[in-house]
Amino acid sequence: MDAAFTTEQSEIRRTLRGLLSKGVPAGPPGRGGSDSTTDAGPGYDAALWARLAGGPGLPGLALDEKYGGAGCGTTELALAFEEVGRALVPLPLFATSGLAAPLITALGTERQRSALLPGIADGSLTAALCLPGAALTTALDLTRSDPDGTWAGGGRAGGIQAAPDGTGCWRLYGEAAQVLDGHSAKLLLVAAHTGGFTRSRTLLFLVRGRDSRGQESRGQGARGRDSRGRGAGGLRRTRWTALDDTRPQARVQLRDTPAELLGDDPGADVPGALAATGRTAAALLAAEAVGAASAALDRTVEHVKGREQFGRPIGSFQAVKHRLADLYVRVQAARSAAYYAAWDPREGVLALAQCLEALRTVTGEAIQLHGGIGFTWEHDAHLYFKRAASDELLFGPVHRLRAHAAEAAGLLTPGLAGSGVPAGLAGSVVPAGGSRSGPGPAPGSRDVAEV
């Protein structure tokens, strides 16, 4: 196995780093100024998105060439995510290329793929995945498995419901409360429950984000209000005030909204497709977290080199050197895990847990070592910390990611799943206040002490 990057992969990293470092500040566009666009528009720099789509073809890196993509794989896309995370620039990349595009490729008909994927590849079409409630980590099989898709709602209430309208189309009812880039996406992939109680199943539907004049919706107006275009009939979208402005979130409400079934098989394994997408998405998020952690560490090193105390740079003090050395080791270990997950997405969940933990630790230390400016708007250190906290809330927490990975690998017995007890020690566990069932050493004996 050759772990070195190819010339093409190295060129992708170099090109993206150059484009993202030319006058592109971290954080949401226009933040802190009188012309701030944080509360208006799509929440990202549309001109930058167009340049990234037209030059290196960022949204279509992993799409097939016949749909206008570059024909690359998960490794190349993960390298791109690492550079985007390093710059901490808000882009609809994860929602569009990390979640929506793989699902369209896996479940869509050839007609749907030919109609939608070229727009995603050239950046003219952005997309978002709408899941009911807080079902993101469950649907993507990150913290809990649910192959039956019960997270989508059941029976006649809860979640998002879909019903045929008798003309070959569908109508959607319900609400998705936490949709990444949902306020600005021109295409929504909505997971909805259909079939009633006796034949319940979860399917994916396509909803176009159009305004009342039939034109593409151009995004969100003032934060906390509905977007200027309410989209297809009965579609209302509201951008939330989120902890991390660089990863916008929205509420999507569906009231008798017309939709098109993704694919032509009503019996398609949608939960399975979502779980497969989740493994790749975890690898991409891990790479993004490594990029953010690496940038936060680099900025901190530069700061302690220039900040003086007692007539010398604070970076020359041994205590500071030790802290930075520990952070460097964490970042390098996380980067190794992220690169391995890009090569084998089946390890994406564990890699994501390690990278999120490294990002949280590094950004917390960065604020401490930056001193009084670390948490103010005059410095970018707090933006990286907010990304760490927000990502762990959205895709974690870390201990659940690891527990789910351990359970999936068979390291926990079914009866003790989630308790953290390895299968090999299951026979020696005594419930609190109870007695041992079955043979084994008596409490306090040498055998128990050795175990």
Side-chain angles (χ1 to χ4, degrees):
M1 171 182 174
D2 185 4
F5 292 122
T6 64
T7 303
E8 182 182 15
Q9 291 168 342
S10 299
E11 184 65 19
I12 290 173
R13 298 185 66 178
R14 187 193 65 80
T15 302
L16 285 176
R17 185 170 297 188
L19 286 172
L20 293 173
S21 62
K22 293 179 180 178
V24 180
R31 63 181 179 82
S34 58
D35 61 342
S36 175
T37 57
T38 300
D39 295 333
Y44 61 90
D45 188 341
L48 175 62
W49 177 248
R51 290 201 304 271
L52 294 173
L58 180 60
L61 269 181
L63 294 179
D64 195 284
E65 293 181 359
K66 69 177 180 178
Y67 301 121
C72 298
T74 304
T75 301
E76 288 78 9
L77 192 57
L79 292 176
F81 267 80
E82 183 181 1
E83 295 306 317
V84 172
R86 175 186 294 273
L88 205 66
V89 178
L91 293 172
L93 182 63
F94 178 66
T96 301
S97 301
L99 295 178
L103 290 170
I104 295 173
T105 302
L107 299 175
T109 63
E110 182 57 33
R111 176 186 63 82
Q112 291 171 332
R113 291 195 291 266
S114 299
L116 300 175
L117 293 181
I120 290 177
D122 63 22
S124 61
L125 180 65
T126 57
L129 176 63
C130 298
L131 301 172
L136 182 63
T137 57
T138 301
L140 296 179
D141 198 20
L142 299 180
T143 58
R144 186 167 68 90
S145 293
D146 188 1
D148 298 326
T150 56
W151 45 264
R156 297 181 178 273
I160 300 176
Q161 306 295 319
D165 62 1
T167 64
C169 296
W170 295 77
R171 295 281 174 170
L172 302 183
Y173 310 82
E175 177 180 303
Q178 211 169 22
V179 181
L180 301 180
D181 290 293
H183 65 291
S184 62
K186 298 178 181 179
L187 177 70
L188 300 178
L189 270 69
V190 183
H193 182 273
T194 185
F197 182 77
T198 57
R199 299 178 59 190
S200 63
R201 60 188 183 277
T202 301
L203 298 175
L204 281 176
F205 297 87
L206 301 173
V207 175
R208 289 280 186 172
R210 296 180 180 273
D211 59 24
S212 58
R213 296 169 295 181
Q215 299 175 346
E216 293 285 351
S217 173
R218 297 191 179 276
Q220 171 71 20
R223 181 180 303 173
R225 301 175 184 174
D226 295 327
S227 59
R228 292 190 296 271
R230 291 192 177 183
L235 174 62
R236 298 174 63 117
R237 300 188 282 180
T238 307
R239 181 177 176 182
W240 291 120
T241 300
L243 171 65
D244 178 16
D245 271 332
T246 66
R247 202 186 291 282
Q249 302 173 40
R251 177 181 64 189
V252 175
Q253 295 173 301
L254 304 142
R255 300 292 183 266
D256 196 28
T257 304
E260 175 189 354
L261 178 66
L262 179 62
D264 55 5
D265 181 12
D269 183 15
V270 171
L274 283 168
T277 300
R279 289 190 288 271
T280 303
L284 299 178
L285 288 168
E288 186 183 68
V290 164
S294 178
L297 179 59
D298 291 344
R299 289 168 179 259
T300 305
V301 171
E302 290 300 316
H303 175 75
V304 300
K305 285 181 178 179
R307 170 74 173 178
E308 291 190 359
Q309 189 70 32
F310 305 111
R312 54 188 289 194
I314 62 174
S316 64
F317 294 109
Q318 191 174 37
V320 175
K321 289 181 179 180
H322 287 173
R323 293 171 74 174
L324 290 174
D326 289 341
L327 298 182
Y328 177 80
V329 171
R330 280 184 178 271
V331 171
Q332 293 304 318
R335 177 175 281 117
S336 296
Y339 288 169
Y340 186 81
W343 177 70
D344 184 6
R346 291 174 298 179
E347 306 299 330
V349 175
L350 273 179
L352 178 59
Q354 182 168 355
C355 293
L356 288 182
E357 186 176 53
L359 178 60
R360 180 184 60 195
T361 303
V362 170
T363 54
E365 286 288 309
I367 288 182
Q368 293 291 322
L369 292 172
H370 275 88
I373 65 171
F375 61 91
T376 65
W377 278 104
E378 284 68 32
H379 201 279
D380 293 333
H382 73 104
L383 295 174
Y384 289 91
F385 181 79
K386 289 177 180 177
R387 168 58 67 89
S390 176
D391 274 8
E392 192 164 358
L393 290 172
L394 281 171
F395 309 113
V398 168
H399 70 273
R400 288 189 178 177
L401 290 169
R402 286 180 171 144
H404 179 54
E407 184 178 352
L411 299 181
L412 303 178
T413 60
L416 297 174
S419 65
V421 181
L425 298 181
S428 62
V429 174
V430 180
S435 61
R436 177 186 309 278
S437 59
S445 67
R446 179 181 179 184
D447 292 336
V448 169
E450 290 176 350
V451 170

